[in-house]
Structure formats: C-alpha cells, structure tokens
Amino acid sequence: MKTSRVAALLLLAAVALAGCGGPAARWIDEAAAAHAQADAFVRGGEPARAARVLDELVSRPVPAGVAAQDRRAVLQDAYARLAGLALGQRAPAQALRYAEAGLALGEARDVFTSALRTSRGRAHEGLGQDAEAARDYEAAQVVAEALLQQALSGRGAQ
Amino acid sequence: MTSEELAPTEAERREAELLARALEGAARPGDEVGPVEDAVGAAWLLRASRGAELSELRARAVLERAWPRRRRWLEPTPGKMAALGAAAAVAAIVSAVPHGPAKLPPPPVPLLRAQLAAARPGAPELARLETEMDAYREQVYAALGRTYGRAR
C-alpha cells in the first residue's frame, strides 16, 4: 500500500473520531438536554420530575476530557437549580444538601457560586438558621456586586 | 446372489474392452464401437473438456474482468490494521485529554441584579432570578458547545 493511502486512512480515522466530539461533547450535550427536559417538566407543573432529571445529571461520571472549570460550572449550575426546585417544594433540608454539594466543588467569583450561596442562604433561612443564612447572603452579594461592577465597566468576561 | 456378483458375460467383456480402448485413444475407425456408442461419446467430450480447462492466467484474466476495479488498498493487511489501530488510539487519547476551559459569556446585568435582589433575608420568590439564569444558561451551553463540539 502506498504511503499516501496510509496517510489518507489515518487522516480519515482521526477526522471521523474528532468530528464525533468524544465523551466530553456528549456529556455537555446530555447536560443541555437535561436542562431542556427539566424546563419542560417545570412548565408542566412537575417539579419533582424535573429534579429527578437534574439529579441524574449530577450523579453521572464526568469524562476526563472536560476542563475542571467547565465541569464545575455545569455541575454547580445544576446543583443550584436542584436547590431552587427543593426550596419551591418547601424542602429546605434537601435544598441545603444540594447547595452544599455544589459548593463542595469549589468556589469562584462567578454567578454559579453566587447562586449556590443564595440557595444555601435560603435553605438556612427556611430551617431557621438565620446567622448561617446571613453569612451566605453576604458572600453571594459580594460576588454579585463585584461581577456587576465588572459588567458595568465593560470587563465582564469570565 | 446379486447381478453384480455374477461373472460378466462375453458381450459385457467385449463392451468393456471397446470402452477401454476408446478412453485410451486407441479406438480406430474400423472398430465396432456401436454397442458402447454413448459411452464413447461421453469419453470424447471428457477428453475435449480437459483440453479446454482454464489456465491460471486465463482464470485471473476472467476474474479481472468480473471485478475490474478491485480496491486492493482497502484489503486488510497487518500494516494497515496497525496503522488504523494507532490512529484510533491517538484519537482516543486526544479525546480524553482535558480541553482548555470554554470562554463563558459574561453574566448579563439583569442576572446580577436579580442575584443581588435574591440574596437577602425575606426576599421574594426566586422566580426572577430563575428566569434570568435560564437565559444565561442558554448562552453558557452555546459557548460550551463551541468548545467541545457536538456529539453525533
């Protein structure tokens, strides 16, 4: 076989595999699909089913190809949404567990951390833990204010 | 005793002798081959067909004509299989290596204002924050899709 044909075959295989996107792309697609499904359940008045879909998302193993920063963003967003759904169902203890799980992935100065701090504050408030709630609200405000200042001064890219 | 076990008759011996001669090519025009005419005819046909057998060269030519464009480069050989295996391994390794992080869009001002409004004791429902977050999430996933590509 000629070398050029070997090269063509290799290129074809590499392009085909690269075009498939791999497990990381699949995970991102599945996460987006889970949110879309959860949206539909919420609109249909079935928050418990929406929570199940998102719970499944956060329980799935994350492919090694996903950057740590993106992994955290996707999971923290899902945890914040789960906490919000639990709060909507008057289940602050469950909301607290979700918020804690999300924050355990690490905190950064971004909207995901701010949302989780807010959710945890709400959960503490629902459980009558006002001091803890106040601490979380304050932390959420510090992040949100810093981001707002950045956005207003045109330096908002994360 | 069956008919096969009986000794051949004189006529049968004669027929067998004629047939043997015909098959060996020793039959001559003057021979009386009438009684074994069919068998002799078959013997000649057999001999003729042996002469018309396909030689290896002709067989190859017929095959070439039947499959004029056989793609030999697609035929699996150890070298090709190894090359494909190597390509697959490289692609698998590349897909497992973490990407650089996606460049996420900056959070819009209304989302940040909603977060500030929600992060205080006794604040109203989180509905506004959720609506703003839904819109932002779409942008985030669009950015992630650009970075990681689409799964097929």
Side-chain angles (χ1 to χ4, degrees), chain B residues 105-122:
Chain B
V109 171
L111 168 60
L112 297 171
R113 287 198 198 284
Q115 282 201 329
L116 281 170
R120 61 186 56 170

Side-chain angles (χ1 to χ4, degrees), chain B residues 8-19:
Chain B
T9 62
E10 190 55 37
E12 284 171 339
R13 277 209 189 97
R14 174 81 180 139
E15 275 181 22
E17 195 181 325
L18 283 171
L19 182 56

Side-chain angles (χ1 to χ4, degrees), chain B residues 41-103:
Chain B
W44 280 109
L45 278 174
L46 271 172
R47 190 187 284 171
S49 74
R50 216 175 290 150
E53 223 168 59
L54 280 180
S55 66
E56 196 191 330
L57 205 62
R58 288 187 65 191
R60 207 178 296 163
V62 169
L63 277 176
E64 286 292 334
R65 194 173 269 193
W67 291 283
R69 285 176 199 157
R70 282 194 299 157
R71 292 173 184 174
R72 290 196 181 144
W73 61 278
L74 280 178
E75 288 169 8
T77 63
K80 290 174 207 168
M81 299 312 284
L84 276 176
V90 166
I93 291 165
V94 166
S95 72
V97 169
H99 279 72
K103 186 172 166 42

